[in-house]
Short mmCIF file of all heavy atoms in Angstrom, two decimals:
data_model
loop_
_atom_site.label_atom_id
_atom_site.label_comp_id
_atom_site.label_asym_id
_atom_site.label_seq_id
_atom_site.Cartn_x
_atom_site.Cartn_y
_atom_site.Cartn_z
N ILE B 29 34.58 16.02 57.02
CA ILE B 29 35.92 15.98 57.62
C ILE B 29 36.53 14.58 57.59
O ILE B 29 37.71 14.41 57.32
CB ILE B 29 35.84 16.49 59.09
CG1 ILE B 29 35.36 17.95 59.10
CG2 ILE B 29 37.19 16.37 59.78
CD1 ILE B 29 34.86 18.42 60.44
N LYS B 30 35.69 13.59 57.84
CA LYS B 30 36.19 12.21 57.98
C LYS B 30 36.91 11.74 56.70
O LYS B 30 36.42 11.97 55.59
CB LYS B 30 35.01 11.28 58.27
CG LYS B 30 35.40 9.88 58.70
CD LYS B 30 34.15 9.08 59.07
CE LYS B 30 34.46 7.71 59.59
NZ LYS B 30 34.91 6.73 58.68
N GLU B 31 38.04 11.10 56.91
CA GLU B 31 38.79 10.53 55.78
C GLU B 31 37.96 9.37 55.22
O GLU B 31 37.53 8.49 55.98
CB GLU B 31 40.14 10.02 56.28
CG GLU B 31 41.18 9.80 55.21
CD GLU B 31 41.60 11.08 54.48
OE1 GLU B 31 41.51 12.20 55.05
OE2 GLU B 31 42.01 10.95 53.33
N PRO B 32 37.71 9.33 53.92
CA PRO B 32 36.90 8.22 53.39
C PRO B 32 37.59 6.87 53.58
O PRO B 32 38.83 6.79 53.54
CB PRO B 32 36.80 8.55 51.90
CG PRO B 32 37.37 9.88 51.70
CD PRO B 32 38.15 10.27 52.90
N ASP B 33 36.80 5.85 53.81
CA ASP B 33 37.38 4.51 53.98
C ASP B 33 37.69 3.87 52.63
O ASP B 33 38.53 3.00 52.52
CB ASP B 33 36.38 3.62 54.74
CG ASP B 33 36.12 4.16 56.13
OD1 ASP B 33 36.98 3.96 57.00
OD2 ASP B 33 35.07 4.82 56.34
N ASP B 34 36.98 4.30 51.62
CA ASP B 34 37.22 3.74 50.28
C ASP B 34 36.90 4.82 49.25
O ASP B 34 36.07 5.71 49.52
CB ASP B 34 36.35 2.51 50.05
CG ASP B 34 36.93 1.59 48.99
OD1 ASP B 34 37.90 2.00 48.31
OD2 ASP B 34 36.43 0.47 48.84
N GLN B 35 37.55 4.72 48.09
CA GLN B 35 37.30 5.70 47.03
C GLN B 35 36.89 4.98 45.74
O GLN B 35 37.34 3.86 45.48
CB GLN B 35 38.56 6.51 46.75
CG GLN B 35 38.70 7.73 47.64
CD GLN B 35 39.81 8.65 47.15
OE1 GLN B 35 40.74 8.23 46.47
NE2 GLN B 35 39.70 9.92 47.51
N LEU B 36 36.07 5.64 44.97
CA LEU B 36 35.69 5.12 43.67
C LEU B 36 35.89 6.25 42.66
O LEU B 36 35.19 7.26 42.71
CB LEU B 36 34.21 4.68 43.70
CG LEU B 36 33.60 4.24 42.38
CD1 LEU B 36 34.25 2.97 41.87
CD2 LEU B 36 32.09 4.01 42.55
N ASP B 37 36.84 6.07 41.77
CA ASP B 37 37.13 7.10 40.78
C ASP B 37 36.41 6.76 39.47
O ASP B 37 36.80 5.82 38.78
CB ASP B 37 38.65 7.18 40.56
CG ASP B 37 39.03 8.35 39.66
OD1 ASP B 37 38.14 8.87 38.96
OD2 ASP B 37 40.21 8.75 39.67
N VAL B 38 35.35 7.48 39.19
CA VAL B 38 34.61 7.23 37.94
C VAL B 38 34.65 8.48 37.05
O VAL B 38 33.70 8.76 36.32
CB VAL B 38 33.15 6.79 38.22
CG1 VAL B 38 33.09 5.34 38.63
CG2 VAL B 38 32.48 7.67 39.25
N ILE B 39 35.76 9.18 37.11
CA ILE B 39 35.92 10.36 36.24
C ILE B 39 35.87 9.92 34.78
O ILE B 39 36.50 8.93 34.40
CB ILE B 39 37.24 11.08 36.55
CG1 ILE B 39 37.16 11.73 37.93
CG2 ILE B 39 37.57 12.13 35.49
CD1 ILE B 39 38.46 12.31 38.43
N GLY B 40 35.11 10.64 33.98
CA GLY B 40 34.99 10.30 32.56
C GLY B 40 33.87 9.32 32.28
O GLY B 40 33.56 9.04 31.13
N GLU B 41 33.28 8.75 33.31
CA GLU B 41 32.20 7.77 33.14
C GLU B 41 30.85 8.47 33.20
O GLU B 41 30.70 9.48 33.89
CB GLU B 41 32.24 6.73 34.27
CG GLU B 41 33.51 5.93 34.34
CD GLU B 41 33.51 4.75 33.39
OE1 GLU B 41 32.58 4.64 32.57
OE2 GLU B 41 34.46 3.96 33.46
N SER B 42 29.90 7.90 32.51
CA SER B 42 28.54 8.44 32.57
C SER B 42 27.60 7.41 33.18
O SER B 42 28.00 6.27 33.41
CB SER B 42 28.08 8.82 31.16
OG SER B 42 28.10 7.69 30.32
N CYS B 43 26.37 7.83 33.40
CA CYS B 43 25.36 6.92 33.96
C CYS B 43 25.13 5.77 32.97
O CYS B 43 25.17 6.01 31.78
CB CYS B 43 24.04 7.64 34.17
SG CYS B 43 24.16 8.96 35.37
N PRO B 44 24.91 4.58 33.44
CA PRO B 44 24.64 4.19 34.83
C PRO B 44 25.87 3.76 35.63
O PRO B 44 25.72 3.23 36.73
CB PRO B 44 23.70 2.99 34.64
CG PRO B 44 24.20 2.34 33.40
CD PRO B 44 24.71 3.45 32.52
N VAL B 45 27.06 3.96 35.07
CA VAL B 45 28.26 3.39 35.70
C VAL B 45 28.51 3.90 37.13
O VAL B 45 28.71 3.08 38.04
CB VAL B 45 29.50 3.60 34.79
CG1 VAL B 45 30.76 3.11 35.46
CG2 VAL B 45 29.29 2.88 33.47
N PRO B 46 28.48 5.24 37.39
CA PRO B 46 28.76 5.67 38.77
C PRO B 46 27.83 5.04 39.80
O PRO B 46 28.28 4.56 40.85
CB PRO B 46 28.56 7.19 38.71
CG PRO B 46 28.84 7.55 37.29
CD PRO B 46 28.30 6.40 36.49
N GLU B 47 26.56 4.99 39.47
CA GLU B 47 25.58 4.43 40.41
C GLU B 47 25.81 2.93 40.61
O GLU B 47 25.79 2.41 41.73
CB GLU B 47 24.17 4.67 39.86
CG GLU B 47 23.06 4.21 40.77
CD GLU B 47 21.70 4.30 40.09
OE1 GLU B 47 21.61 4.06 38.86
OE2 GLU B 47 20.74 4.61 40.77
N MET B 48 26.05 2.23 39.50
CA MET B 48 26.24 0.78 39.60
C MET B 48 27.50 0.43 40.39
O MET B 48 27.48 -0.45 41.26
CB MET B 48 26.37 0.17 38.18
CG MET B 48 25.06 -0.05 37.48
SD MET B 48 25.26 -0.45 35.73
CE MET B 48 25.98 -2.06 35.80
N MET B 49 28.58 1.14 40.10
CA MET B 49 29.85 0.85 40.78
C MET B 49 29.77 1.24 42.26
O MET B 49 30.31 0.54 43.12
CB MET B 49 31.01 1.60 40.11
CG MET B 49 31.17 1.32 38.63
SD MET B 49 31.33 -0.42 38.23
CE MET B 49 33.03 -0.70 38.61
N ALA B 50 29.09 2.36 42.53
CA ALA B 50 28.96 2.78 43.93
C ALA B 50 28.13 1.78 44.72
O ALA B 50 28.47 1.41 45.86
CB ALA B 50 28.32 4.16 44.00
N SER B 51 27.07 1.31 44.10
CA SER B 51 26.22 0.31 44.75
C SER B 51 27.02 -0.95 45.06
O SER B 51 26.91 -1.54 46.14
CB SER B 51 25.04 0.00 43.83
OG SER B 51 24.36 -1.13 44.24
N LYS B 52 27.84 -1.34 44.09
CA LYS B 52 28.68 -2.54 44.26
C LYS B 52 29.65 -2.36 45.41
O LYS B 52 29.83 -3.24 46.26
CB LYS B 52 29.42 -2.78 42.94
CG LYS B 52 30.36 -3.96 42.92
CD LYS B 52 31.04 -4.01 41.57
CE LYS B 52 32.26 -4.90 41.58
NZ LYS B 52 32.98 -4.88 40.30
N LYS B 53 30.30 -1.21 45.46
CA LYS B 53 31.28 -0.92 46.52
C LYS B 53 30.59 -0.91 47.89
O LYS B 53 31.11 -1.46 48.86
CB LYS B 53 31.92 0.45 46.29
CG LYS B 53 33.03 0.44 45.28
CD LYS B 53 34.37 0.47 45.97
CE LYS B 53 35.50 0.56 44.94
NZ LYS B 53 36.78 0.16 45.53
N LEU B 54 29.45 -0.23 47.96
CA LEU B 54 28.76 -0.08 49.25
C LEU B 54 28.35 -1.43 49.82
O LEU B 54 28.36 -1.63 51.04
CB LEU B 54 27.54 0.82 49.09
CG LEU B 54 27.85 2.32 48.98
CD1 LEU B 54 26.65 3.09 48.43
CD2 LEU B 54 28.26 2.91 50.34
#
Side-chain angles (χ1 to χ4, degrees):
Chain B
I29 298 163
K30 191 176 184 287
E31 198 64 26
D33 297 283
D34 203 350
Q35 273 191 335
L36 174 66
D37 187 341
V38 282
I39 291 172
E41 299 277 8
S42 59
C43 296
V45 175
E47 184 188 35
M48 279 169 69
M49 303 305 280
S51 166
K52 179 183 164 184
K53 279 258 184 198
L54 284 164

